[in-house]
Structure formats: C-alpha cells, structure tokens
Amino acid sequence: MALRNLVQLGAVTPQNDFYELTLEGWELLKLGIEPWLGKIILRCFHHCLGKEGLVLAAVMANSSSIFCRVGTEENKIKSDRLKVQFCHQSGDVFTLLAVYKEWEAVPCDRKNIWFWENSINAKSMCRCLEGVQELDSCLPNELSIIIPSYWRWNPKILTEHDETLRSIILSAFAENVAMYSGYDHLGYEVALTGKHIQIHPSCSYLFLIQDLVG
C-alpha cells in the first residue's frame, strides 16, 4: 500500500525488479515530512501558490483538532454554528485554509479572544504556525525554494486558484478520490477500490447544506 502510494505520488518509478526515486522523490525526501504533504507543497510552489502550500500542509497535519467541539450539547451546537462562517464550498481542506488565513490577519493582541469567539483550538493553530515556520526555514536550505509571505488565494472570491488547489490536493490523494453514488444509503464510491463510504458528520459540506436548508 505504501509503495503504491509513492508510485501514485510520482516519488518512485518501477525499474525492473526494484523501484527508483524520481527527481521529485528526492525533493520529497529532503523535506523530511509525509510524502503527500511534500507533494502539495512542491506543486503549490510550481503554481506560484507557495504560501498556500505551506499552510495547507500545516493545517492538514492538524485537521482533526482545529475546531473545538467540547462541553454541553448546547456548547457543541454553538461551536457547530460558529464553524459555518468558515465553511468553503470546496470542502474541509479549504475551510481549514480559510480559518488559518483569517487568524493570521488578526492583530496579536486579539488572537486569544478570536480563538474563544470562533471556537478554534489555540494549541492546534500554534502547531500549524510552527509547522509553517519550520517548512519556511527548511525549503531555502534543502531545495533553494523561497516561499512568498503573501496569499494569492481568497476564500471569499472564486478564482482560478481554487481549481489549481483542488487539482493539487487531488494529485496527493488519488487513492481517496470518490464520487457520489446517487444513493444516500450508499454514500460515495471510492474510485480505486469500489468501496462505498459515508461523509463524516463533521464535514463542511453538511454544515453548508444545513445552513442553506435553515
């Protein structure tokens, strides 16, 4: 399974009875992170979306803990409602990207209250920031890549960058690509395996649907 994933990522290529690292594979090796995260970073850089690539890698590595959902049932419902403001039509990964982008723009003296007001996990966001900073320091030394400090993607405006980022993310998760089966009880069919899966209850799509219906 791991070897198949590396082949899909373009990190290795079959050579007779063994596998050989590709040029991109060597680059991924130098980054010292999960290959799929490295793939996203490198492809984003090649499409002039370097800042977005670093942040994507950081938030995806901490995706399960960025939104707070603790306490009483009432508190959980409140947290769910607060999440809606960040929900992006392109899905959970873009939602996390939108969270980081907004948080980054908040003045330092207001960041703590911002976490509370938006039900965001402060520790997780700090881990994301540390991840971005580490990668930003690593890339110039290991691959002579300088990451810009500015954003080109805007969560509030649909542009060609959305399509580019979607393509990049899909290229890193080819084994997870799925299509709606047309039946709610079956959910989505995974392209590579034919298995059927259901959307996770915390998925941004569900919040968007609830918001539209409400």
Side-chain angles (χ1 to χ4, degrees):
M1 177 68 76
L3 193 55
R4 186 182 71 184
N5 290 343
L6 290 175
V7 172
Q8 290 173 343
L9 289 172
V12 298
T13 183
Q15 293 290 340
N16 298 321
D17 294 330
F18 61 94
Y19 290 85
E20 186 176 80
L21 275 172
T22 63
L23 176 59
E24 189 170 52
W26 281 109
E27 292 177 335
L28 295 175
L29 186 63
K30 288 181 179 180
L31 288 178
I33 59 176
E34 291 286 346
W36 56 275
L37 291 176
K39 175 85 171 184
I40 289 173
I41 291 172
L42 293 178
R43 288 208 62 194
C44 280
F45 175 76
H46 293 149
H47 285 85
C48 299
L49 293 167
K51 172 77 172 186
E52 288 78 0
L54 285 195
V55 176
L56 272 175
V59 297
M60 291 173 80
N62 294 278
S63 60
S64 63
S65 59
I66 287 178
F67 286 103
C68 288
R69 197 174 186 274
V70 296
T72 65
E73 194 61 31
E74 183 179 350
N75 288 336
K76 291 178 181 178
I77 292 174
K78 180 182 178 182
S79 297
D80 291 343
R81 288 174 177 167
L82 288 171
K83 181 179 180 179
V84 173
Q85 64 183 311
F86 299 108
C87 287
H88 194 277
Q89 63 181 6
S90 293
D92 290 344
V93 176
F94 286 80
T95 296
L96 297 176
L97 199 59
V99 170
Y100 189 98
K101 188 175 190 297
E102 181 167 326
W103 169 68
E104 188 181 60
V106 175
C108 291
D109 60 348
R110 279 202 43 84
K111 286 190 185 293
N112 286 336
I113 189 65
W114 185 89
F115 289 133
W116 175 259
E117 291 174 344
N118 294 283
S119 195
I120 302 296
N121 189 321
K123 290 184 178 179
S124 293
M125 293 304 292
C126 288
R127 283 197 297 269
C128 290
L129 176 60
E130 290 171 1
V132 169
Q133 291 173 336
E134 288 176 7
L135 289 167
D136 195 31
S137 299
C138 167
L139 285 164
N141 295 327
E142 297 296 337
L143 299 175
S144 300
I145 290 177
I146 304 298
I147 298 297
S149 59
Y150 56 85
W151 294 80
R152 300 187 70 198
W153 175 77
N154 186 337
K156 301 183 186 304
I157 303 174
L158 187 64
T159 67
E160 70 276 8
H161 301 318
D162 289 83
E163 183 59 36
T164 300
L165 288 172
R166 277 196 295 268
S167 176
I168 290 170
I169 293 167
L170 284 175
S171 72
F173 289 97
E175 74 277 8
N176 292 340
V177 173
M179 183 174 67
Y180 183 56
S181 65
Y183 300 95
D184 289 343
H185 67 284
L186 290 177
Y188 288 73
E189 181 179 344
V190 179
L192 285 179
T193 65
K195 292 182 179 179
H196 289 92
I197 58 173
Q198 294 288 337
I199 290 182
H200 192 275
S202 66
C203 180
S204 296
Y205 280 124
L206 297 181
F207 288 101
L208 286 171
I209 292 171
Q210 291 170 6
D211 191 43
L212 289 172
V213 173

